[in-house]
Amino acid sequence: MGKKDKKTAKGRLDKFYYLAKEQGYRARSAFKLIQLNKKYNFLEKSRCLIDLCAAPGGWLQVAKKHMPVSSLIIGVDLVPIKPISNIITFQEDITTDKCRSTIRNELKTWKADVVLHDGAPNVGISWLQDAFSQAELTLKALKLAVEFLNKGGTFVTKLFRSKDYNNLIWVFNQLFKKVEATKPASSRNVSAEIFVVCRDFLAPKKIDSKFLDPRAVFKEVEIGPVNKPIDVLHPEKRKRQREGYEDGNYTLYKEISVLDFINSDDPIQILGDVLGKKEFKNLLKWRNIVKEKKQDPSNENDENSTKNNDEKVDEDQIIQDELDKLTKEKQAQLKRLRRKANEKRQKNVVRMQLKMISPTDIALESSGPDGGDPLFDLKQADKTGVLRKIRKGDMDVILEQDIDDDDIVIEDQKLLKDKDEDNEDNIDIQFEDELDELYEQYVERKAERDVKYRVRKMRKEYEDWNGIQKSESSDDNDVKFVHPQDDSSSSDNDSELESDSSNELKEEPTKKKKKLLTNISESDDDSKVKMAGGLSKKAELFFDNPLFKDSKKIDVSDIKDGVTKSNGHSLKRKADDIGEDANDDIEIVPRNKDSDEEMWDANEVDEDEKKMMRAKEIGLITAEAVTLAQQLVNRQKTKYDLIDEGFRRYTYNDREGLPGWFLDDEKQHNKLNVPVTKEAVQAIRERMKALNARPIKKIAEAKARKKIRVMRKLAKLQKKTDAIIETSDMTEKEKANTISKMVSKAQNKVKKEVKLVVAKGSAKGNKGRPKGVKGRYKMVDSRLKKDAQALKRVNQKVGSRKRRRK
Ligand SMILES: C[S@@+](CC[C@H](N)C(=O)[O-])C[C@H]1O[C@@H](n2cnc3c(N)ncnc32)[C@H](O)[C@@H]1O
């Protein structure tokens, strides 16, 4: 298997892989033991543990973490285990005597409280072979467990579901009081592994050697179920990859002669062996047809011949009755399961509404009692596309999913489904409705919390509204503005239009297409403007304003928009129609574009992103932010907690229309008190200190350096001047001149010399510092250097001539 394949196969890098990495476990399997221990609590009360097949050491790490300090933990594996402090590990095959004696030596007088076994033999030859080796290895582990366990001790082992499974469970039951098989959530669904936790070791004085002898234990498998009648309708269908084909039979096609069937003592067994689901159904259908024909009077003649077959029919009848009984039982069981699942879901919804749990908790918590898949996992369903299919009404996916996910579910569910489709449909529709309802509730709740979502929704509504306006304006015929005393034809048109519009509204209520026409005569009477097109109450209240009181018939869409120009046909035309009086009554308020934009500020949506970018650029700058970040990282809080906490009395502080002085006051005193931790404050302080200290330190250092330089210079000067003063060779005047010269020279800044470096050959294009050049330098070409030297020479000559003339 290529590297790439391996990574993606079985979704290897799942959440437990990353969790293991994050929490420092050597293997994701560590979570299996964590989950088993969470359920059965055996590690905390143990003082001595043996882990058989322990490499790379994930289970050992978990054991060390959960067992009391200074417990004795021993790990053994075929491959070396990287040392873990305070844990004894060694490399050995657990099936050997050497391993046994090594464990004995390590334990000395102790006995183990827990023996773990997560062994997986080198798999890959064939599934059946693998499963058998695994079962055999388990038996060997059990042998060691029996030898080293204390009375009342616990043995945890991994098993594959195979035909040997039941035999092993039987053996466990002989040696332990409680035996439970479970599949932790971290165990992949695609894996056939299952974990058996055997508690309360009975420690019998004498153990029948057959219990631990693979030949004796696994031999019984073949003898066991032979006499058990096969449930033909619900055959225990095995998944191909899990258990492989039956021994010696590698095809799906089976044939048996009618004679064999007739002569057989156990016809049901034969049917179960030979027939598949489809064939069995066909056979039953055929039987029904034959039966109907038999009841048909036209076939009375055949009665005699049928009588001869009475015996056979009786037998069929028995089978049919039995099948019906089984079907009913199964159906009832299925219903019970669904009811339970529904009840659980309802409970979760209530708990979620009470904020007792978050959706994540439900997803984690609703892992079945055996640690199986969550029963109601919208996220998962959404990811896999199942939810989409369910929404479309395809309930098959639920059953398919169940069958796929739950390894223990046998495929007869599908057969049941085929047979009782009508009953199933009812249940499915109910189930679908419930799912829809739950999902809507979920979306609704999510939407309520999500401010961004609301802003987007409102914006969309606003755009929809604008869209309608535009489409109406583009269609001149849609806009009518009519005087009450209009001629009959026009009023006819009106009524036609109104009825049209109402029809349209009835037909397309969701399109919100509004022919917002108002009968002014009505408004005259009632002093009210009535809106067609189902305006919201808010809008109705708005249009109840006396402003619209005396208007005759008003196109509300135009009023809302305040449009004078864009709907060229609208107000001017309406004014003409209504006449001067009506025109006077309408005050046209131009639309304030800015205010609209302010209301639906698109940037508002990106505000969070901006903050995120800022946080990324300069880090978290408030103690509150650092506290939250720490809590998130330490898992003291979840994302959902933060969202929940966002809903408080400060959430919807509407500032609109409040006086300025009040807002100022609020700004100063009405502040949300977000709790901060000491550590967060400390972290922020440290950062500020570091920020402050950086430039100051540099400057201080530079200043200090300068000061030292000056002091040195002064000290030198002092020495020189002292020497000059003490000399007797100079006059007082000469001494003073020399000292003042020295001081002025010391004060003059020393010009740093810039060295000219001639770029030659390969160095011409070289931009870096040339070799062997220290201090300031300037790259020049040879010409420039020669010119500079020539200039220097000329200056020197001129200078010397002048001096001579003087
Ligand atoms: C799934 S790993 C165990 C993982 C372990 N529980 C952990 O958490 O790190 C299975 C181990 O069984 C070991 N194994 C298989 N057959 C064995 C044998 N006969 N004796 C000892 N170890 C064996 C393999 O070497 C392998 O390391």
Side-chain angles (χ1 to χ4, degrees):
M1 197 187 285
K3 202 181 175 187
K4 203 179 162 194
D5 286 356
K6 203 176 171 188
K7 274 198 171 181
T8 47
K10 293 188 190 177
R12 284 202 171 281
L13 309 187
D14 62 355
K15 77 172 171 198
F16 290 108
Y17 169 87
Y18 291 109
L19 270 178
K21 261 191 144 185
E22 194 184 278
Q23 296 187 13
Y25 288 119
R26 294 179 179 185
R28 72 182 284 293
S29 59
F31 287 99
K32 296 176 192 168
L33 185 62
I34 291 173
Q35 282 159 359
L36 288 172
N37 184 51
K38 203 175 172 192
K39 198 168 171 185
Y40 299 104
N41 246 325
F42 47 86
L43 289 178
E44 280 75 7
K45 48 189 185 219
S46 306
R47 295 299 310 265
C48 177
L49 176 142
I50 304 170
D51 187 358
L52 306 169
C53 306
W59 280 26
L60 290 174
Q61 287 177 303
V62 175
K64 187 185 166 187
K65 197 171 169 187
H66 287 82
M67 284 170 68
V69 195
S70 75
S71 297
L72 176 61
I73 303 173
I74 302 171
V76 52
D77 200 288
L78 273 178
V79 297
I81 304 165
K82 210 171 136 197
I84 303 173
S85 62
N86 299 326
I87 291 181
I88 301 163
T89 54
F90 62 94
Q91 191 178 349
E92 199 57 67
D93 182 344
I94 65 159
T95 61
T96 59
D97 271 347
K98 196 173 169 213
C99 173
R100 200 176 130 263
S101 57
T102 317
I103 295 176
R104 162 98 7 254
N105 282 344
E106 296 293 350
L107 282 179
K108 291 182 182 101
T109 56
W110 282 47
K111 282 231 159 195
D113 299 308
V114 179
V115 173
L116 305 176
H117 171 245
D118 186 22
N122 262 346
V123 286
I125 314 150
S126 82
W127 196 91
L128 278 174
Q129 184 64 42
D130 291 346
F132 181 74
S133 338
Q134 165 71 26
E136 224 181 353
L137 196 65
T138 304
L139 208 61
K140 294 279 180 197
L142 178 69
K143 202 172 174 185
L144 289 175
V146 163
E147 187 175 347
F148 295 118
L149 261 184
N150 253 332
K151 192 173 181 195
T154 307
F155 174 56
V156 180
T157 183
K158 175 162 78 182
L159 266 186
F160 285 140
R161 281 185 296 266
S162 70
K163 58 181 184 172
D164 304 322
Y165 174 81
N166 285 334
N167 297 60
L168 279 170
I169 295 286
W170 183 84
V171 173
F172 294 154
N173 271 313
Q174 307 311 307
L175 299 167
F176 294 85
K177 220 176 190 173
K178 297 171 206 158
V179 175
E180 275 181 55
T182 180
K183 191 169 173 70
S186 52
S187 171
R188 292 186 175 97
N189 275 329
V190 288
S191 159
E193 75 179 10
I194 197 161
F195 288 83
V196 183
V197 180
C198 312
R199 287 174 295 161
D200 270 353
F201 177 50
L202 297 169
K205 278 188 185 138
K206 210 172 168 231
I207 294 173
D208 190 341
S209 58
K210 276 184 188 167
F211 287 173
L212 306 168
D213 177 6
R215 270 176 300 171
V217 172
F218 303 131
K219 200 178 146 195
E220 281 171 27
V221 181
E222 281 120 38
I223 310 156
V226 167
N227 291 328
K228 199 180 137 198
I230 283 185
D231 182 352
V232 278
L233 190 61
H234 312 122
E236 194 171 341
K237 240 189 179 171
R238 280 152 260 156
K239 299 212 166 182
R240 255 176 290 152
Q241 300 89 331
R242 312 263 161 94
E243 295 195 8
Y245 297 109
E246 274 171 35
D247 288 345
N249 183 3
Y250 304 101
T251 60
L252 290 172
Y253 180 75
K254 287 171 197 162
E255 203 178 82
I256 190 164
S257 75
V258 179
L259 211 63
D260 285 351
F261 174 59
I262 290 166
N263 293 335
S264 156
D265 295 336
D266 194 351
I268 301 176
Q269 170 78 33
I270 287 191
L271 283 181
D273 280 347
V274 176
L275 300 184
K277 183 173 66 186
K278 202 173 142 199
E279 291 81 16
F280 207 87
K281 271 174 76 183
N282 286 340
L283 198 66
L284 283 177
K285 270 186 202 164
W286 171 79
R287 182 186 167 275
N288 283 341
I289 293 165
V290 173
K291 225 178 161 188
E292 272 167 25
K293 276 196 177 168
K294 192 190 140 206
Q295 280 159 6
D296 195 340
S298 62
N299 287 335
E300 260 176 17
N301 298 340
D302 300 338
E303 224 170 60
N304 287 339
S305 66
T306 321
K307 259 185 188 174
N308 298 336
N309 291 331
D310 259 3
E311 244 181 77
K312 202 184 170 198
V313 171
D314 278 353
E315 197 180 304
D316 280 354
Q317 188 60 44
I318 293 166
I319 298 172
Q320 179 61 35
D321 287 349
E322 201 177 324
L323 290 176
D324 287 348
K325 206 177 122 200
L326 286 170
T327 312
K328 270 179 197 156
E329 267 174 25
K330 199 75 200 171
Q331 207 177 326
Q333 192 190 352
L334 226 99
K335 267 188 190 169
R336 257 199 320 277
L337 279 173
R338 285 205 178 122
R339 204 182 47 240
K340 266 188 191 169
N342 282 343
E343 274 168 13
K344 196 171 177 189
R345 259 175 248 136
Q346 293 293 359
K347 259 188 209 164
N348 276 340
V349 169
V350 174
R351 282 162 74 200
M352 211 153 79
Q353 279 164 349
L354 293 172
K355 304 215 164 126
M356 285 160 75
I357 47 169
S358 68
T360 337
D361 296 338
I362 293 179
L364 286 173
E365 199 184 279
S366 61
S367 298
D370 57 345
D373 263 359
L375 289 166
F376 179 63
D377 190 347
L378 276 178
K379 233 182 182 176
Q380 187 61 23
D382 216 3
K383 263 189 211 163
T384 53
V386 171
L387 200 62
R388 210 176 343 104
K389 285 187 189 168
I390 292 171
R391 266 191 243 123
K392 281 183 187 167
D394 184 2
M395 294 310 296
D396 285 3
V397 289
I398 293 175
L399 278 170
E400 277 165 28
Q401 181 85 344
D402 281 347
I403 290 163
D404 267 348
D405 282 356
D406 192 344
D407 292 321
I408 306 165
V409 171
I410 46 177
E411 284 199 12
D412 56 3
Q413 277 186 358
K414 210 167 176 192
L415 177 62
L416 249 182
K417 193 192 131 240
D418 287 342
K419 192 159 166 58
D420 305 309
E421 244 165 21
D422 293 344
N423 293 333
E424 288 287 296
D425 278 354
N426 288 341
I427 299 165
D428 283 347
I429 289 164
Q430 229 176 320
F431 187 48
E432 188 185 350
D433 287 348
E434 273 163 28
L435 268 180
D436 280 350
E437 204 176 306
L438 284 169
Y439 183 68
E440 270 158 26
Q441 282 173 11
Y442 165 77
V443 169
E444 196 63 34
R445 272 195 306 279
K446 206 172 162 232
E448 274 167 19
R449 290 182 202 166
D450 194 347
V451 184
K452 273 190 191 176
Y453 175 87
R454 272 186 283 120
V455 172
R456 261 184 237 130
K457 200 174 148 192
M458 283 163 86
R459 193 204 282 169
K460 196 174 174 303
E461 276 170 16
Y462 174 70
E463 281 167 5
D464 286 350
W465 172 263
N466 268 351
I468 292 166
Q469 298 282 40
K470 274 177 197 161
S471 69
E472 280 182 0
S473 68
S474 65
D475 184 1
D476 275 358
N477 294 330
D478 276 359
V479 183
K480 296 274 171 184
F481 197 92
V482 191
H483 192 274
Q485 277 92 46
D486 250 355
D487 59 27
S488 59
S489 67
S490 69
S491 68
D492 279 345
N493 281 348
D494 259 353
S495 59
E496 220 180 310
L497 212 142
E498 274 178 295
S499 68
D500 274 352
S501 75
S502 62
N503 280 343
E504 209 172 338
L505 281 165
K506 265 180 220 158
E507 280 162 26
E508 299 178 273
T510 49
K511 280 191 176 177
K512 293 186 193 170
K513 177 108 178 148
K514 297 177 184 93
K515 312 262 186 209
L516 300 170
L517 289 174
T518 303
N519 191 336
I520 292 167
S521 57
E522 262 180 42
S523 62
D524 273 334
D525 296 340
D526 307 345
S527 306
K528 269 187 178 177
V529 179
K530 286 190 181 174
M531 301 299 155
L535 276 188
S536 68
K537 278 197 171 168
K538 217 171 170 185
E540 274 181 29
L541 276 175
F542 174 73
F543 286 112
D544 269 350
N545 194 307
L547 195 81
F548 309 108
K549 208 174 173 182
D550 298 323
S551 316
K552 310 298 174 187
K553 259 195 173 179
I554 301 166
D555 186 330
V556 182
S557 61
D558 279 352
I559 289 171
K560 188 191 173 288
D561 222 354
V563 180
T564 48
K565 273 191 265 169
S566 63
N567 287 351
H569 54 272
S570 57
L571 279 178
K572 177 115 180 33
R573 211 171 102 191
K574 286 167 208 156
D576 292 340
D577 288 347
I578 296 166
E580 287 300 315
D581 292 348
N583 206 8
D584 286 347
D585 289 339
I586 301 169
E587 190 187 347
I588 299 160
V589 184
R591 174 163 66 170
N592 185 352
K593 254 194 161 185
D594 292 348
S595 71
D596 271 356
E597 267 156 26
E598 201 178 89
M599 193 172 173
W600 305 110
D601 187 5
N603 297 334
E604 198 182 305
V605 184
D606 298 323
E607 212 44 45
D608 282 354
E609 269 110 286
K610 268 189 199 167
K611 279 181 191 162
M612 292 267 284
M613 295 285 284
R614 206 172 124 78
K616 265 184 195 166
E617 266 170 32
I618 56 168
L620 302 171
I621 49 167
T622 63
E624 289 90 351
V626 175
T627 307
L628 285 182
Q630 281 175 347
Q631 284 170 339
L632 280 172
V633 169
N634 297 334
R635 293 165 193 283
Q636 287 160 337
K637 272 197 180 154
T638 65
K639 191 175 123 189
Y640 296 101
D641 291 337
L642 296 188
I643 294 171
D644 279 347
E645 281 167 15
F647 289 87
R648 46 179 132 69
R649 69 190 181 94
Y650 297 93
T651 310
Y652 299 112
N653 264 358
D654 200 355
R655 289 164 192 279
E656 225 168 85
L658 292 173
W661 61 266
F662 181 80
L663 288 176
D664 290 344
D665 209 43
E666 286 277 280
K667 217 181 207 175
Q668 223 175 338
H669 304 296
N670 189 7
K671 276 182 187 159
L672 169 66
N673 193 3
V674 183
V676 292
T677 58
K678 260 185 191 175
E679 293 77 29
V681 174
Q682 193 58 33
I684 291 285
R685 258 191 212 146
E686 294 299 327
R687 248 180 80 188
M688 293 323 258
K689 258 191 205 169
L691 272 174
N692 285 339
R694 238 156 74 197
I696 290 168
K697 195 179 161 200
K698 269 191 171 178
I699 293 167
E701 278 172 1
K703 279 183 179 170
R705 278 198 299 274
K706 199 174 172 184
K707 202 173 168 184
I708 290 168
R709 277 202 299 273
V710 173
M711 297 287 276
R712 272 190 205 141
K713 267 187 187 174
L714 272 177
K716 264 188 186 173
L717 201 66
Q718 187 75 39
K719 268 187 189 170
K720 282 181 184 171
T721 49
D722 283 351
I724 290 168
I725 289 166
E726 278 167 20
T727 182
S728 51
D729 301 343
M730 295 165 88
T731 61
E732 288 302 308
K733 198 183 173 185
E734 277 172 345
K735 280 181 188 174
N737 280 341
T738 323
I739 288 172
S740 67
K741 260 186 194 173
M742 277 166 67
V743 170
S744 64
K745 197 182 167 189
Q747 274 174 351
N748 278 345
K749 276 181 191 165
V750 185
K751 264 193 183 175
K752 281 195 177 165
E753 217 182 316
V754 180
K755 203 170 188 178
L756 298 180
V757 181
V758 183
K760 283 183 207 160
S762 62
K764 261 189 178 175
N766 189 5
K767 281 177 186 158
R769 179 183 284 275
K771 266 185 189 172
V773 178
K774 281 181 188 168
R776 289 189 169 193
Y777 72 97
K778 193 179 172 186
M779 294 295 287
V780 293
D781 59 18
S782 49
R783 182 74 257 151
L784 183 70
K785 194 182 176 188
K786 277 178 188 162
D787 286 350
Q789 282 169 350
L791 200 68
K792 207 176 169 183
R793 273 200 305 275
V794 170
N795 282 341
Q796 275 173 354
K797 271 186 187 171
V798 173
S800 60
R801 260 186 231 146
K802 276 182 185 170
R803 253 178 267 130
R804 258 185 260 143
R805 270 187 213 145
K806 273 181 192 173

